[in-house]
Amino acid sequence: GSVPWLAACDRLLGCEPPCDCAFAAVRAAQSVSFKATTMNTRAFHKKYLKVSAVVVGSFGPLFTLATLGGAAAEPIRLSLDLLALSPGSQTLAAPTTRFVSALTGGFLAGWGVTIWLLSGAAYDAAPETVRRAVVGGLCTWFILDSTGSAMSGHAANVAWNVLVLALAVGPLCMPAVDGGEKRARD
């Protein structure tokens, strides 16, 4: 059977169930024919994991600073206005909102650092496992963030999420083609 919130996400994005909405952007990227180029080698993937880490983690400090209110909250408030396509409507005035902002900042920064660290020895030991873990985490974020955005009346954020997913996943959507994977661990 279908999970109700995944089915709702599928309907919202016009994808075929089950669970296709999370992979729509990845499938679009996969439709591009990747030949053996530098973009889909293990060496490039290892470097691109740092791009993914920055994409994920860069909003963490901003969300944390937003807990101070006032001018410190403006970068995130303006970002939320842009993501919701509703200029001037977003506020971080409520203490609960600032608390959620602090939690979000910590989670995003921590997730970014985790991806950065995975690009080192962990990637060298099990490149395909690391790639799948990062892409799987990003797709999970995409499903939950997009579904929550749509259910909270901010469906415009889904389009932004597609762009962030495409940027964060980039060439990681396909396994590296330079072979020699460590099958015992992957």
Side-chain angles (χ1 to χ4, degrees):
S2 177
V3 178
W5 61 269
L6 288 175
C9 182
D10 288 335
R11 283 191 302 279
L12 175 72
L13 297 176
C15 300
E16 294 295 321
C19 305
D20 279 351
C21 65
F23 303 102
V26 174
R27 276 199 312 277
Q30 287 175 335
S31 68
V32 176
S33 176
F34 284 108
K35 294 184 174 63
T37 67
T38 57
M39 280 187 49
N40 59 344
T41 63
R42 270 200 244 132
F44 191 81
H45 278 194
K46 184 174 179 169
K47 290 176 186 172
Y48 200 86
L49 283 167
K50 292 188 184 330
V51 172
S52 300
V54 170
V55 169
V56 170
S58 62
F59 278 94
L62 295 175
F63 271 102
T64 301
L65 282 175
T67 62
L68 299 173
E74 280 304 294
I76 286 300
R77 194 195 61 72
L78 292 171
S79 296
L80 293 172
D81 281 349
L82 179 65
L83 295 174
L85 295 179
S86 58
S89 69
Q90 305 301 311
T91 178
L92 295 162
T96 303
T97 305
R98 288 195 309 274
F99 176 58
V100 170
S101 185
L103 294 172
T104 301
F107 288 137
L108 288 172
W111 189 16
V113 168
T114 299
I115 294 171
W116 189 280
L117 294 174
L118 284 171
S119 73
Y123 186 83
D124 293 340
E128 182 58 15
T129 299
V130 169
R131 184 195 71 80
R132 285 183 302 193
V134 170
V135 171
L138 289 165
C139 287
T140 301
W141 157 80
F142 178 81
I143 291 170
L144 295 178
D145 190 285
S146 297
T147 302
S149 294
M151 291 182 349
S152 68
H154 297 92
N157 187 48
V158 176
W160 292 108
N161 286 350
V162 170
L163 293 174
V164 171
L165 180 65
L167 180 62
V169 170
L172 301 174
C173 67
M174 301 282 286
V177 296
D178 46 350
E181 303 292 331
K182 295 186 177 194
R183 299 290 179 210
R185 292 190 180 145
D186 286 354

